[in-house]
Coordinates of all heavy atoms in Angstrom, one line a residue:
M754 N 51.0 -114.5 185.4 CA 51.9 -115.4 184.8 C 52.2 -114.9 183.4 O 53.4 -114.9 183.0 CB 51.5 -116.8 184.8 CG 52.5 -117.9 184.4 SD 53.8 -117.9 185.7 CE 54.1 -119.7 185.5
A755 N 51.1 -114.7 182.6 CA 51.3 -114.4 181.2 C 52.0 -113.0 181.2 O 52.8 -112.8 180.3 CB 50.0 -114.3 180.5
E756 N 51.7 -112.0 182.1 CA 52.3 -110.7 182.1 C 53.8 -110.9 182.4 O 54.7 -110.3 181.8 CB 51.7 -109.9 183.2 CG 52.2 -108.5 183.2 CD 51.5 -107.6 184.3 OE1 50.2 -107.8 184.4 OE2 52.2 -106.9 184.9
H757 N 54.2 -111.9 183.4 CA 55.5 -112.2 183.7 C 56.3 -112.6 182.5 O 57.4 -112.3 182.2 CB 55.6 -113.1 184.9 CG 57.0 -113.4 185.4 ND1 57.7 -114.5 184.9 CD2 57.8 -112.7 186.1 CE1 58.9 -114.5 185.5 NE2 59.0 -113.4 186.2
D758 N 55.6 -113.6 181.7 CA 56.3 -114.1 180.5 C 56.5 -113.1 179.5 O 57.5 -113.0 178.8 CB 55.4 -115.3 180.0 CG 55.5 -116.5 180.8 OD1 56.4 -116.6 181.7 OD2 54.6 -117.3 180.6
S759 N 55.5 -112.1 179.4 CA 55.6 -111.0 178.5 C 56.8 -110.2 178.8 O 57.5 -109.8 177.9 CB 54.2 -110.3 178.5 OG 54.4 -109.2 177.7
R760 N 57.0 -109.9 180.1 CA 58.1 -109.0 180.5 C 59.5 -109.7 180.2 O 60.4 -109.1 179.8 CB 58.0 -108.6 182.0 CG 57.4 -107.3 182.2 CD 57.5 -106.8 183.6 NE 56.3 -107.2 184.2 CZ 56.2 -107.6 185.5 NH1 57.2 -107.7 186.3 NH2 55.0 -108.0 186.0
N761 N 59.4 -111.0 180.5 CA 60.7 -111.7 180.2 C 61.0 -111.7 178.8 O 62.2 -111.5 178.3 CB 60.6 -113.2 180.7 CG 60.9 -113.3 182.2 OD1 61.3 -112.3 182.7 ND2 60.5 -114.4 182.8
T762 N 60.0 -111.9 178.0 CA 60.1 -111.9 176.5 C 60.6 -110.6 176.1 O 61.5 -110.4 175.2 CB 58.8 -112.2 175.8 OG1 58.4 -113.5 176.3 CG2 59.0 -112.3 174.3
Q763 N 60.0 -109.5 176.7 CA 60.4 -108.1 176.4 C 61.9 -107.9 176.7 O 62.7 -107.3 176.0 CB 59.5 -107.1 177.0 CG 59.7 -105.8 176.5 CD 58.6 -104.8 177.1 OE1 58.0 -105.2 178.0 NE2 58.5 -103.6 176.5
K764 N 62.3 -108.4 177.9 CA 63.6 -108.2 178.4 C 64.6 -108.9 177.4 O 65.7 -108.3 177.0 CB 63.9 -108.8 179.8 CG 63.5 -107.8 180.9 CD 63.9 -108.4 182.3 CE 63.4 -107.6 183.4 NZ 63.6 -108.2 184.6
I765 N 64.3 -110.2 177.1 CA 65.1 -110.9 176.2 C 65.2 -110.3 174.8 O 66.3 -110.1 174.2 CB 64.6 -112.4 176.1 CG1 64.9 -113.1 177.4 CG2 65.3 -113.1 174.9 CD1 64.1 -114.4 177.4
T766 N 64.1 -109.7 174.4 CA 64.0 -109.0 173.1 C 64.9 -107.8 173.1 O 65.7 -107.5 172.3 CB 62.6 -108.7 172.8 OG1 61.9 -109.9 172.7 CG2 62.5 -108.0 171.4
R767 N 64.8 -107.0 174.2 CA 65.6 -105.8 174.4 C 67.1 -106.1 174.5 O 68.0 -105.6 173.8 CB 65.2 -105.0 175.6 CG 65.8 -103.6 175.8 CD 65.4 -102.9 176.9 NE 63.9 -102.7 176.8 CZ 63.1 -102.7 177.9 NH1 63.6 -103.0 179.2 NH2 61.9 -102.6 177.9
R768 N 67.4 -107.2 175.3 CA 68.8 -107.6 175.4 C 69.3 -108.1 174.0 O 70.4 -107.8 173.6 CB 68.8 -108.8 176.5 CG 70.3 -109.2 176.7 CD 70.4 -110.3 177.8 NE 69.6 -110.0 179.0 CZ 69.0 -110.9 179.6 NH1 68.9 -112.2 179.3 NH2 68.4 -110.5 180.8
H769 N 68.4 -108.9 173.4 CA 68.8 -109.4 172.1 C 69.1 -108.3 171.0 O 70.1 -108.2 170.4 CB 67.8 -110.3 171.5 CG 68.0 -110.8 170.1 ND1 69.0 -111.9 169.9 CD2 67.6 -110.5 168.9 CE1 69.1 -112.1 168.7 NE2 68.3 -111.3 168.0
W770 N 68.3 -107.2 171.2 CA 68.3 -106.0 170.3 C 69.6 -105.3 170.6 O 70.4 -105.0 169.7 CB 67.1 -105.1 170.5 CG 67.2 -103.9 169.6 CD1 66.9 -103.8 168.3 CD2 67.7 -102.6 169.9 NE1 67.1 -102.6 167.7 CE2 67.7 -101.8 168.8 CE3 68.3 -102.2 171.1 CZ2 68.1 -100.5 168.8 CZ3 68.7 -100.8 171.1 CH2 68.6 -100.0 169.9
L771 N 69.9 -105.1 171.9 CA 71.2 -104.4 172.3 C 72.4 -105.2 171.8 O 73.4 -104.6 171.3 CB 71.2 -104.2 173.8 CG 70.2 -103.2 174.3 CD1 70.2 -103.1 175.9 CD2 70.6 -101.8 173.9
R772 N 72.4 -106.5 172.0 CA 73.6 -107.3 171.6 C 73.6 -107.3 170.1 O 74.8 -107.1 169.6 CB 73.3 -108.7 172.0 CG 74.6 -109.7 171.7 CD 74.3 -111.1 172.1 NE 74.5 -111.1 173.6 CZ 74.2 -112.2 174.3 NH1 73.7 -113.3 173.8 NH2 74.3 -112.2 175.6
S773 N 72.5 -107.4 169.4 CA 72.5 -107.3 167.9 C 73.2 -106.0 167.4 O 73.9 -105.9 166.5 CB 71.2 -107.6 167.3 OG 70.6 -108.8 167.7
T774 N 72.7 -104.9 168.1 CA 73.1 -103.6 167.7 C 74.6 -103.5 167.9 O 75.4 -102.9 167.1 CB 72.4 -102.5 168.5 OG1 70.9 -102.7 168.2 CG2 72.8 -101.1 168.1
A775 N 75.1 -103.9 169.1 CA 76.5 -103.8 169.4 C 77.3 -104.6 168.4 O 78.3 -104.2 168.0 CB 76.8 -104.4 170.8
L776 N 76.8 -105.8 168.1 CA 77.5 -106.7 167.0 C 77.5 -105.9 165.6 O 78.6 -105.9 165.0 CB 76.8 -108.0 166.9 CG 77.1 -108.9 168.0 CD1 76.3 -110.2 167.9 CD2 78.6 -109.3 168.2
M777 N 76.5 -105.2 165.3 CA 76.3 -104.5 164.0 C 77.4 -103.4 164.0 O 78.0 -103.1 163.1 CB 75.0 -104.1 163.7 CG 74.1 -105.2 163.2 SD 72.5 -104.6 162.6 CE 71.7 -104.0 164.1
V778 N 77.4 -102.6 165.2 CA 78.4 -101.5 165.2 C 79.9 -102.1 165.1 O 80.6 -101.5 164.4 CB 78.2 -100.7 166.5 CG1 79.3 -99.8 166.8 CG2 76.8 -100.1 166.5
A779 N 80.1 -103.1 165.9 CA 81.4 -103.7 165.8 C 81.8 -104.2 164.4 O 82.9 -104.0 163.8 CB 81.5 -104.8 166.7
A780 N 80.8 -104.9 163.8 CA 81.0 -105.3 162.4 C 81.2 -104.2 161.4 O 82.0 -104.2 160.5 CB 79.9 -106.2 162.0
G781 N 80.4 -103.1 161.6 CA 80.5 -101.9 160.8 C 81.9 -101.2 161.0 O 82.6 -100.8 160.0
A782 N 82.4 -101.2 162.3 CA 83.8 -100.6 162.5 C 84.8 -101.5 161.8 O 85.9 -101.0 161.3 CB 84.0 -100.5 163.9
A783 N 84.7 -102.9 161.9 CA 85.7 -103.7 161.4 C 85.7 -103.9 159.9 O 86.7 -104.1 159.3 CB 85.5 -105.2 162.1
A784 N 84.5 -103.6 159.3 CA 84.3 -103.9 157.8 C 85.3 -103.0 157.0 O 86.0 -103.6 156.1 CB 83.0 -103.6 157.4
P785 N 85.6 -101.8 157.3 CA 86.4 -101.0 156.5 C 87.9 -101.6 156.6 O 88.6 -101.7 155.6 CB 86.5 -99.6 157.1 CG 85.1 -99.5 157.7 CD 84.8 -100.9 158.2
L786 N 88.3 -102.1 157.8 CA 89.6 -102.7 157.9 C 89.7 -104.0 157.1 O 90.7 -104.2 156.4 CB 89.9 -103.1 159.4 CG 89.9 -101.8 160.4 CD1 90.0 -102.3 161.8 CD2 91.0 -100.9 160.0
V787 N 88.7 -104.8 157.1 CA 88.7 -106.0 156.3 C 88.8 -105.6 154.7 O 89.5 -106.1 154.0 CB 87.5 -106.8 156.6 CG1 87.4 -108.0 155.6 CG2 87.5 -107.4 158.0
F788 N 88.0 -104.6 154.4 CA 88.0 -104.2 153.0 C 89.3 -103.6 152.6 O 89.8 -103.9 151.5 CB 86.9 -103.1 152.8 CG 86.8 -102.6 151.4 CD1 86.3 -103.3 150.4 CD2 87.3 -101.3 151.0 CE1 86.3 -103.0 149.1 CE2 87.3 -100.9 149.7 CZ 86.7 -101.7 148.8
V789 N 89.8 -102.7 153.5 CA 91.2 -102.1 153.0 C 92.2 -103.3 152.8 O 93.0 -103.2 151.9 CB 91.6 -101.1 154.2 CG1 93.1 -100.8 154.0 CG2 90.8 -99.9 154.1
G790 N 92.3 -104.2 153.8 CA 93.2 -105.3 153.7 C 93.0 -106.1 152.4 O 93.9 -106.5 151.7
N791 N 91.7 -106.4 152.1 CA 91.5 -107.1 150.9 C 91.8 -106.3 149.6 O 92.2 -106.7 148.7 CB 90.0 -107.6 150.8 CG 89.8 -108.8 151.8 OD1 90.7 -109.4 152.2 ND2 88.5 -109.1 152.1
A792 N 91.4 -105.0 149.7 CA 91.6 -104.1 148.6 C 93.2 -104.0 148.3 O 93.5 -104.0 147.1 CB 91.1 -102.7 148.9
E793 N 94.0 -103.9 149.4 CA 95.4 -103.8 149.2 C 95.9 -105.1 148.6 O 96.7 -105.1 147.6 CB 96.1 -103.6 150.4 CG 97.6 -103.5 150.4 CD 98.4 -103.2 151.6 OE1 97.7 -103.1 152.6 OE2 99.5 -103.2 151.5
A794 N 95.5 -106.2 149.1 CA 95.9 -107.5 148.5 C 95.5 -107.7 147.1 O 96.2 -108.2 146.2 CB 95.5 -108.7 149.4
A795 N 94.2 -107.2 146.8 CA 93.7 -107.3 145.5 C 94.4 -106.4 144.5 O 94.4 -106.6 143.4 CB 92.2 -107.2 145.5
S796 N 94.9 -105.2 145.0 CA 95.5 -104.3 144.1 C 96.9 -104.5 143.8 O 97.4 -103.9 142.9 CB 95.2 -102.9 144.7 OG 96.0 -102.7 145.9
K797 N 97.5 -105.4 144.6 CA 98.9 -105.7 144.4 C 99.1 -107.1 143.8 O 98.3 -108.0 144.0 CB 99.7 -105.7 145.7 CG 99.9 -104.3 146.3 CD 100.9 -104.3 147.4 CE 101.0 -102.8 147.9 NZ 102.0 -102.8 148.9
M798 N 100.1 -107.3 143.1 CA 100.3 -108.6 142.3 C 101.0 -109.6 143.3 O 101.8 -109.1 144.2 CB 101.2 -108.4 141.0 CG 100.4 -107.6 140.1 SD 101.4 -107.3 138.6 CE 102.2 -105.9 139.1
A799 N 100.8 -110.9 143.1 CA 101.6 -111.8 143.8 C 103.0 -111.8 143.4 O 103.3 -111.6 142.2 CB 100.9 -113.2 143.7
K800 N 103.9 -112.2 144.2 CA 105.4 -112.4 143.8 C 105.6 -113.3 142.7 O 106.4 -113.1 141.8 CB 106.2 -112.8 145.1 CG 106.3 -111.7 146.2 CD 107.1 -112.2 147.3 CE 107.3 -111.2 148.4 NZ 108.0 -111.7 149.6
T801 N 104.8 -114.4 142.7 CA 105.0 -115.4 141.7 C 104.4 -114.9 140.3 O 105.0 -115.4 139.3 CB 104.1 -116.6 142.0 OG1 102.7 -116.3 142.3 CG2 104.6 -117.4 143.3
A802 N 103.6 -113.9 140.3 CA 103.1 -113.4 139.1 C 104.1 -112.5 138.3 O 104.0 -112.3 137.1 CB 101.8 -112.5 139.2
V803 N 105.1 -112.0 139.1 CA 106.1 -111.1 138.5 C 107.5 -111.7 138.7 O 108.5 -111.0 138.5 CB 106.1 -109.7 139.2 CG1 104.8 -109.0 138.8 CG2 106.3 -109.8 140.7
D804 N 107.6 -113.0 138.9 CA 108.9 -113.7 139.0 C 109.8 -113.1 139.9 O 111.0 -113.0 139.7 CB 109.6 -113.8 137.6 CG 108.7 -114.6 136.6 OD1 108.0 -115.5 137.0 OD2 108.9 -114.3 135.5
Y805 N 109.2 -112.7 141.1 CA 110.1 -112.1 142.1 C 111.1 -113.1 142.6 O 110.9 -114.3 142.8 CB 109.1 -111.7 143.4 CG 109.9 -111.2 144.5 CD1 110.4 -109.8 144.6 CD2 110.3 -111.9 145.7 CE1 111.1 -109.3 145.6 CE2 111.0 -111.4 146.8 CZ 111.3 -110.2 146.7 OH 112.1 -109.6 147.7
Q806 N 112.3 -112.5 142.9 CA 113.4 -113.2 143.5 C 114.0 -112.4 144.6 O 113.9 -111.1 144.5 CB 114.4 -113.7 142.4 CG 115.1 -112.5 141.7 CD 115.9 -112.8 140.5 OE1 115.5 -113.7 139.7 NE2 117.0 -112.2 140.3
D807 N 114.7 -113.0 145.6 CA 115.2 -112.2 146.6 C 116.7 -111.8 146.4 O 117.4 -111.5 147.4 CB 115.0 -112.9 148.0 CG 115.7 -114.3 148.0 OD1 116.4 -114.6 147.0 OD2 115.5 -114.9 149.1
H808 N 117.1 -111.9 145.2 CA 118.4 -111.4 144.9 C 118.3 -110.6 143.6 O 117.5 -110.7 142.8 CB 119.4 -112.7 144.7 CG 119.0 -113.7 143.7 ND1 118.1 -114.6 144.1 CD2 119.2 -113.8 142.4 CE1 117.7 -115.4 143.0 NE2 118.5 -114.9 142.0
P809 N 119.4 -109.8 143.4 CA 119.4 -108.8 142.2 C 119.5 -109.6 140.8 O 119.9 -110.7 140.8 CB 120.6 -107.9 142.5 CG 121.2 -108.3 143.7 CD 120.6 -109.6 144.2
K810 N 119.2 -108.8 139.9 CA 119.4 -109.3 138.4 C 120.4 -108.3 137.9 O 120.0 -107.2 137.5 CB 118.2 -109.3 137.7 CG 118.4 -109.9 136.3 CD 117.1 -110.0 135.6 CE 117.3 -110.7 134.1 NZ 116.2 -110.8 133.4
G811 N 121.6 -108.6 138.0 CA 122.7 -107.7 137.6 C 122.7 -106.6 138.5 O 122.7 -106.7 139.8
K812 N 122.6 -105.3 138.0 CA 122.6 -104.1 138.8 C 121.1 -103.7 139.2 O 120.9 -102.8 139.9 CB 123.2 -102.9 138.0 CG 124.8 -103.1 137.9 CD 125.4 -102.0 137.2 CE 127.0 -102.2 137.1 NZ 127.6 -101.2 136.4
E813 N 120.2 -104.4 138.6 CA 118.7 -104.1 138.9 C 118.3 -104.8 140.3 O 118.5 -106.0 140.3 CB 117.9 -104.7 137.8 CG 118.1 -104.0 136.4 CD 117.2 -104.5 135.4 OE1 116.5 -105.4 135.6 OE2 117.3 -103.9 134.2
M814 N 117.9 -104.1 141.1 CA 117.4 -104.5 142.4 C 116.3 -103.6 142.9 O 116.3 -102.4 142.6 CB 118.5 -104.8 143.4 CG 119.2 -103.4 143.9 SD 120.6 -103.7 144.8 CE 121.8 -104.3 143.5
C815 N 115.4 -104.1 143.9 CA 114.4 -103.3 144.4 C 114.8 -102.0 144.9 O 114.1 -101.0 144.9 CB 113.6 -104.2 145.5 SG 112.9 -105.6 144.8
S816 N 116.0 -102.0 145.6 CA 116.4 -100.7 146.3 C 116.6 -99.6 145.2 O 116.6 -98.4 145.7 CB 117.6 -101.0 147.2 OG 118.7 -101.4 146.3
N817 N 116.8 -99.9 144.0 CA 116.8 -98.8 143.0 C 115.8 -98.9 142.0 O 115.9 -98.4 140.9 CB 118.4 -98.8 142.4 CG 118.6 -100.1 141.6 OD1 117.8 -100.8 141.1 ND2 119.9 -100.4 141.6
C818 N 114.7 -99.5 142.4 CA 113.4 -99.5 141.6 C 112.5 -98.4 142.0 O 112.4 -98.1 143.3 CB 112.8 -100.8 141.8 SG 111.1 -100.9 141.0
R819 N 111.8 -97.8 141.1 CA 110.8 -96.6 141.4 C 109.7 -97.1 142.3 O 109.0 -96.3 142.9 CB 110.3 -96.0 140.2 CG 111.4 -95.1 139.5 CD 111.1 -94.5 138.2 NE 109.7 -94.2 138.0 CZ 109.2 -93.8 136.8 NH1 110.0 -93.7 135.8 NH2 107.9 -93.4 136.7
L820 N 109.4 -98.3 142.3 CA 108.2 -98.8 143.0 C 108.5 -99.4 144.4 O 107.7 -99.7 145.2 CB 107.5 -100.0 142.2 CG 107.1 -99.7 140.9 CD1 106.5 -100.8 140.2 CD2 106.1 -98.4 140.9
Y821 N 109.9 -99.3 144.8 CA 110.2 -99.8 146.1 C 110.0 -98.9 147.2 O 110.2 -97.6 147.1 CB 111.7 -100.2 146.1 CG 112.2 -100.7 147.4 CD1 111.8 -102.0 147.8 CD2 113.1 -100.1 148.3 CE1 112.1 -102.6 149.0 CE2 113.6 -100.7 149.5 CZ 113.0 -101.9 149.8 OH 113.5 -102.5 151.0
I822 N 109.4 -99.3 148.4 CA 109.2 -98.5 149.6 C 110.1 -99.0 150.6 O 109.8 -100.1 151.1 CB 107.7 -98.6 150.0 CG1 106.8 -98.2 148.8 CG2 107.4 -97.8 151.2 CD1 105.3 -98.6 149.1
P823 N 111.1 -98.3 151.0 CA 112.1 -98.8 152.0 C 111.3 -99.1 153.3 O 110.4 -98.4 153.8 CB 113.1 -97.7 152.1 CG 113.0 -96.8 150.9 CD 111.6 -97.0 150.5
G824 N 111.9 -100.0 154.0 CA 111.4 -100.3 155.4 C 112.1 -99.4 156.4 O 113.0 -98.6 156.0
S825 N 111.9 -99.6 157.7 CA 112.5 -98.7 158.7 C 114.0 -99.0 158.7 O 114.8 -98.1 159.1 CB 111.8 -98.9 160.1 OG 111.9 -100.3 160.4
N826 N 114.4 -100.2 158.5 CA 115.8 -100.5 158.5 C 116.2 -100.6 157.0 O 115.7 -101.4 156.3 CB 116.1 -101.8 159.2 CG 117.4 -102.4 159.0 OD1 118.3 -101.8 158.3 ND2 117.8 -103.4 159.7
P827 N 117.1 -99.8 156.5 CA 117.5 -99.8 155.1 C 118.0 -101.1 154.5 O 117.7 -101.3 153.3 CB 118.6 -98.7 155.0 CG 118.6 -98.0 156.2 CD 117.9 -98.8 157.3
K828 N 118.5 -101.9 155.3 CA 119.0 -103.3 154.9 C 118.0 -104.3 155.0 O 118.0 -105.4 154.5 CB 120.3 -103.6 155.6 CG 121.4 -102.6 155.3 CD 122.7 -103.3 155.7 CE 123.9 -102.3 155.5 NZ 124.5 -102.4 154.2
G829 N 116.9 -104.0 155.7 CA 115.7 -104.9 156.0 C 114.7 -104.9 154.9 O 114.8 -104.0 154.0
P830 N 113.8 -105.7 155.1 CA 112.7 -105.7 154.0 C 111.8 -104.4 154.0 O 111.6 -103.8 155.0 CB 111.8 -107.0 154.4 CG 112.2 -107.2 155.8 CD 113.5 -106.7 156.1
G831 N 111.4 -104.1 152.9 CA 110.5 -102.9 152.7 C 109.2 -103.5 152.0 O 108.9 -104.6 152.2
A832 N 108.6 -102.7 151.2 CA 107.4 -103.0 150.6 C 107.5 -102.5 149.1 O 108.5 -101.8 148.7 CB 106.2 -102.3 151.2
C833 N 106.6 -102.8 148.3 CA 106.5 -102.5 146.9 C 105.1 -101.8 146.6 O 104.1 -102.3 147.2 CB 106.8 -103.6 146.0 SG 106.7 -103.3 144.3
K834 N 105.1 -100.9 145.8 CA 103.8 -100.3 145.4 C 102.9 -101.3 144.6 O 101.7 -101.1 144.4 CB 104.0 -98.9 144.7 CG 104.6 -97.9 145.5 CD 104.9 -96.6 144.7 CE 105.6 -95.6 145.5 NZ 106.1 -94.4 144.8
A835 N 103.6 -102.3 143.9 CA 102.9 -103.1 143.0 C 102.8 -104.5 143.4 O 102.0 -105.3 142.9 CB 103.6 -103.0 141.7
V836 N 103.8 -105.0 144.2 CA 103.9 -106.4 144.5 C 103.6 -106.6 146.0 O 104.1 -105.9 146.9 CB 105.3 -107.0 144.2 CG1 105.4 -108.4 144.6 CG2 105.6 -106.8 142.7
A837 N 102.8 -107.5 146.4 CA 102.4 -107.8 147.8 C 103.5 -108.4 148.5 O 104.2 -109.3 148.0 CB 101.1 -108.6 147.7
G838 N 103.4 -108.2 149.8 CA 104.3 -108.9 150.8 C 105.6 -108.1 151.0 O 105.7 -107.0 150.6
A839 N 106.5 -108.7 152.0 CA 107.8 -108.1 152.3 C 108.6 -108.3 151.0 O 108.7 -109.3 150.4 CB 108.3 -108.9 153.5
I840 N 109.3 -107.1 150.8 CA 110.1 -107.1 149.6 C 111.6 -106.8 150.0 O 112.0 -105.8 150.8 CB 109.8 -106.0 148.7 CG1 108.3 -106.2 148.2 CG2 110.7 -105.9 147.5 CD1 108.1 -107.4 147.4
S841 N 112.5 -107.6 149.7 CA 114.0 -107.4 150.0 C 114.5 -106.3 149.2 O 114.3 -106.2 148.0 CB 114.7 -108.7 149.7 OG 116.1 -108.4 149.7
P842 N 115.4 -105.4 149.8 CA 116.1 -104.3 149.0 C 116.9 -105.0 148.0 O 117.2 -104.3 146.9 CB 116.8 -103.5 150.0 CG 116.9 -104.4 151.3 CD 115.8 -105.4 151.2
D843 N 117.4 -106.2 148.1 CA 118.2 -106.8 147.0 C 117.4 -107.7 146.1 O 117.9 -108.3 145.3 CB 119.2 -107.7 147.8 CG 120.1 -107.0 148.7 OD1 120.5 -105.8 148.5 OD2 120.5 -107.6 149.8
G844 N 116.1 -107.6 146.2 CA 115.2 -108.4 145.3 C 115.1 -107.9 144.0 O 115.7 -106.8 143.6
W845 N 114.3 -108.5 143.2 CA 114.1 -108.1 141.8 C 112.8 -108.7 141.3 O 112.5 -109.9 141.7 CB 115.3 -108.5 141.0 CG 115.1 -108.2 139.5 CD1 115.5 -107.0 138.8 CD2 114.5 -108.9 138.4 NE1 115.1 -107.0 137.5 CE2 114.5 -108.2 137.2 CE3 114.0 -110.3 138.4 CZ2 114.0 -108.7 136.1 CZ3 113.5 -110.8 137.2 CH2 113.5 -110.0 136.1
C846 N 112.2 -108.2 140.3 CA 111.0 -108.8 139.6 C 111.0 -108.3 138.2 O 111.7 -107.3 137.8 CB 109.7 -108.6 140.4 SG 108.9 -107.2 140.0
N847 N 110.2 -108.9 137.4 CA 110.2 -108.6 136.0 C 109.3 -107.3 135.6 O 109.3 -107.0 134.5 CB 109.7 -109.8 135.2 CG 108.2 -110.2 135.4 OD1 107.5 -109.3 136.0 ND2 107.8 -111.3 135.0
I848 N 108.8 -106.6 136.6 CA 108.3 -105.3 136.3 C 109.2 -104.1 136.8 O 108.8 -103.0 137.1 CB 106.9 -105.1 136.9 CG1 106.8 -105.3 138.3 CG2 105.9 -106.1 136.1 CD1 105.4 -104.9 138.9
Y849 N 110.4 -104.5 137.2 CA 111.4 -103.5 137.7 C 111.4 -102.2 136.8 O 111.4 -102.2 135.6 CB 112.8 -104.2 137.6 CG 113.9 -103.3 137.9 CD1 114.3 -102.9 139.1 CD2 114.6 -102.7 136.8 CE1 115.4 -102.0 139.3 CE2 115.7 -101.7 137.0 CZ 116.0 -101.4 138.3 OH 117.1 -100.5 138.5
I850 N 111.4 -101.1 137.5 CA 111.5 -99.8 136.8 C 112.6 -99.0 137.4 O 112.6 -98.6 138.7 CB 110.1 -99.0 137.0 CG1 109.0 -99.9 136.5 CG2 110.3 -97.7 136.3 CD1 107.6 -99.2 136.8
P851 N 113.7 -98.7 136.7 CA 114.8 -98.0 137.3 C 114.4 -96.7 137.7 O 113.6 -95.9 137.1 CB 115.9 -98.0 136.2 CG 115.1 -98.2 135.0 CD 113.8 -99.0 135.3
K852 N 115.1 -96.3 138.8 CA 114.8 -94.9 139.4 C 115.4 -93.9 138.3 O 116.4 -94.2 137.7 CB 115.5 -94.6 140.6 CG 114.8 -95.2 141.8 CD 115.5 -94.9 143.2 CE 114.8 -95.6 144.3 NZ 115.5 -95.5 145.5
A853 N 114.7 -92.8 138.1 CA 115.2 -91.9 137.0 C 116.5 -91.1 137.5 O 116.8 -91.0 138.7 CB 114.2 -90.8 136.7
Ligands
SF4_2015 S1 108.4 -103.6 141.2 FE1 109.6 -105.5 141.5 S2 111.8 -104.8 141.4 FE2 110.5 -103.0 141.8 S3 110.4 -102.9 144.1 FE3 108.6 -104.0 143.4 S4 109.3 -106.1 143.6 FE4 111.1 -104.9 143.5

């Protein structure tokens, strides 16, 4: 009986070890994705911090800013190297840098 319990304990331990190892591998694989996501969010400024607006300020607009990254549709939202989130090509913020 004691031997049977010992084997069961060993099986549970081995199963537990395998499950734990699988979870650690999965967590290790996911960790860089989480870190990259947080790093990107942390490295970009919030729209509110730069007074972002979704319309131009005179002739100044995201589509002619050096930091703008166009989307797949030129009239659709793109991204910004400095500001987080979807960026309208017609938008503007207070760190606007005109293209040279
Ligand atoms: S820095 Fe400001 S103006 Fe320039 S693309 Fe980014 S959000 Fe638009």
Side-chain angles (χ1 to χ4, degrees):
M754 187 71 145
E756 185 180 318
H757 184 260
D758 288 345
S759 173
R760 260 190 268 145
N761 280 347
T762 302
Q763 193 173 12
K764 277 185 183 176
I765 290 169
T766 302
R767 188 178 302 141
R768 187 180 305 143
H769 179 77
W770 180 84
L771 287 171
R772 181 180 289 171
S773 299
T774 302
L776 287 173
M777 283 190 290
V778 169
L786 298 175
V787 171
F788 177 74
V789 168
N791 287 342
E793 182 181 355
S796 66
K797 290 189 177 185
M798 292 177 278
K800 289 177 178 177
T801 53
V803 293
D804 297 329
Y805 175 83
Q806 59 191 38
D807 60 4
H808 55 275
K810 183 176 184 183
K812 292 182 179 179
E813 296 181 355
M814 62 185 79
C815 295
S816 61
N817 60 30
C818 173
R819 284 174 38 188
L820 301 179
Y821 184 65
I822 304 166
S825 55
N826 175 354
K828 295 193 184 273
C833 176
K834 294 176 185 173
V836 178
I840 302 294
S841 168
D843 299 327
W845 177 90
C846 84
N847 65 17
I848 61 166
Y849 168 84
I850 303 171
K852 286 182 180 172

